[in-house]
Amino acid sequence: QQQVKQSPQSLIVQKGGISIINCAYENTAFDYFPWYQQFPGKGPALLIAIRPDVSEKKEGRFTISFNKSAKQFSLHIMDSQPGDSATYFCAASRMGSGNTGKLIFGQGTTLQVKP
Amino acid sequence: DTGVSQDPRHKITKRGQNVTFRCDPISEHNRLYWYRQTLGQGPEFLTYFQNEAQLEKSRLLSDRFSAERPKGSFSTLEIQRTEQGDSAMYLCASSYHRDRSYEQYFGPGTRLTVT
């Protein structure tokens, strides 16, 4: 059972444009939603994360928008740069006492930012 | 470097051989996770340690796989009688739950190729 669905699979954006990646989850018990960036041959690097008690979180050019009722969240990359070209993964987890915090990942989105 | 380290970075083995990977988490991180990532997919959870106790194992972790975390420090993942389907990137992540911080930090991974 696929618990986190991510779209699109690939994305091409012009330099300076906005990149938007979407994720949907099924398990309403999830309460932690991070985004990771991965370059070829490297491990995933944490970009930004959100808890369901807020609808938006911004860090620099990266913003997470969260819609609890729709069970959806998205990553917006403002002023996209060629250096942002990478694969992005959304994930979801259950935190709190008694939970392991294991991450359930989406399938990934390959972003290419054209100069 | 105070990040998560993994050794070796690459391993090529013949089918049927045993392999062992090592993960050194960030110092003082009490939670350690192993994930497996195949090409074009998001990481999939394998197993979780809290200190030295292995508290969860995925169904993906067949009886050919074993993991340990002696003394709650480094961890090892062993695969016995490797199969071609075991070819993947094996990722280790660590975290230290405090306050509302749940970030998992990943190592660079061990790329396993079974011939």
Side-chain angles (χ1 to χ4, degrees):
Chain A
Q1 182 182 5
Q2 190 173 336
Q3 296 192 57
V4 180
K5 294 184 179 181
Q6 184 172 344
S7 63
Q9 187 174 355
S10 62
L11 182 61
I12 300 174
V13 173
Q14 291 294 129
K15 179 182 175 182
I18 302 174
S19 303
I20 302 174
I21 305 170
N22 301 298
C23 280
Y25 62 97
E26 299 169 3
N27 188 343
T28 56
F30 288 147
D31 59 0
Y32 174 69
F33 303 89
W35 283 89
Y36 282 84
Q37 178 189 58
Q38 187 176 32
F39 293 102
K42 306 293 185 182
L46 179 65
L47 264 182
I48 186 172
I50 198 168
R51 299 291 308 276
D53 51 352
V54 297
S55 60
E56 186 174 283
K57 183 175 180 181
K58 182 176 181 179
E59 290 184 1
R61 296 185 294 111
F62 301 94
T63 299
I64 298 179
S65 296
F66 185 80
N67 186 328
K68 188 175 181 178
S69 61
K71 294 188 289 184
Q72 295 176 347
F73 58 109
S74 61
L75 176 69
H76 293 62
I77 305 175
M78 313 300 288
D79 187 27
S80 298
Q81 299 297 311
D84 296 331
S85 297
T87 300
Y88 292 81
F89 292 97
C90 63
S93 176
R94 293 182 63 180
M95 294 299 172
S97 178
N99 294 307
T100 65
K102 66 182 179 185
L103 295 169
I104 308 300
F105 282 85
Q107 305 93 308
T109 297
T110 302
L111 170 64
Q112 182 184 357
V113 181
K114 290 193 168 183
Chain B
D1 185 5
T2 57
V4 178
S5 61
Q6 292 187 245
D7 185 71
R9 296 291 309 277
H10 303 274
K11 179 70 177 179
I12 300 174
T13 191
K14 293 185 177 180
R15 187 177 51 152
Q17 297 296 305
N18 299 344
V19 294
T20 300
F21 310 140
R22 177 181 170 121
C23 169
D24 286 273
I26 294 172
S27 179
E28 297 183 353
H29 277 196
N30 60 338
R31 298 191 172 204
L32 187 146
Y33 305 81
W34 284 98
Y35 295 84
R36 181 171 68 186
Q37 184 178 26
T38 54
L39 204 60
Q41 300 296 317
E44 294 177 292
F45 169 77
L46 290 179
T47 191
Y48 161 71
F49 289 86
Q50 183 165 324
N51 299 310
E52 67 277 4
Q54 186 175 20
L55 298 183
E56 185 171 352
K57 293 192 291 186
S58 163
R59 288 175 296 174
L60 293 174
L61 215 65
S62 75
D63 56 7
R64 296 184 298 105
F65 288 71
S66 63
E68 294 182 338
R69 192 183 183 197
K71 301 180 182 178
S73 55
F74 70 93
S75 176
T76 59
L77 178 68
E78 180 183 17
I79 308 175
Q80 296 183 328
R81 305 181 302 282
T82 53
E83 302 173 355
Q84 288 188 323
D86 297 332
S87 294
M89 175 80 88
Y90 289 84
L91 294 162
C92 175
S94 70
S95 72
Y96 180 50
H97 286 207
R98 61 186 183 282
D99 301 329
R100 289 167 60 84
S101 172
Y102 303 116
E103 295 103 354
Q104 283 186 35
Y105 296 93
F106 281 80
T110 295
R111 169 73 65 188
L112 172 66
T113 302
V114 182
T115 62

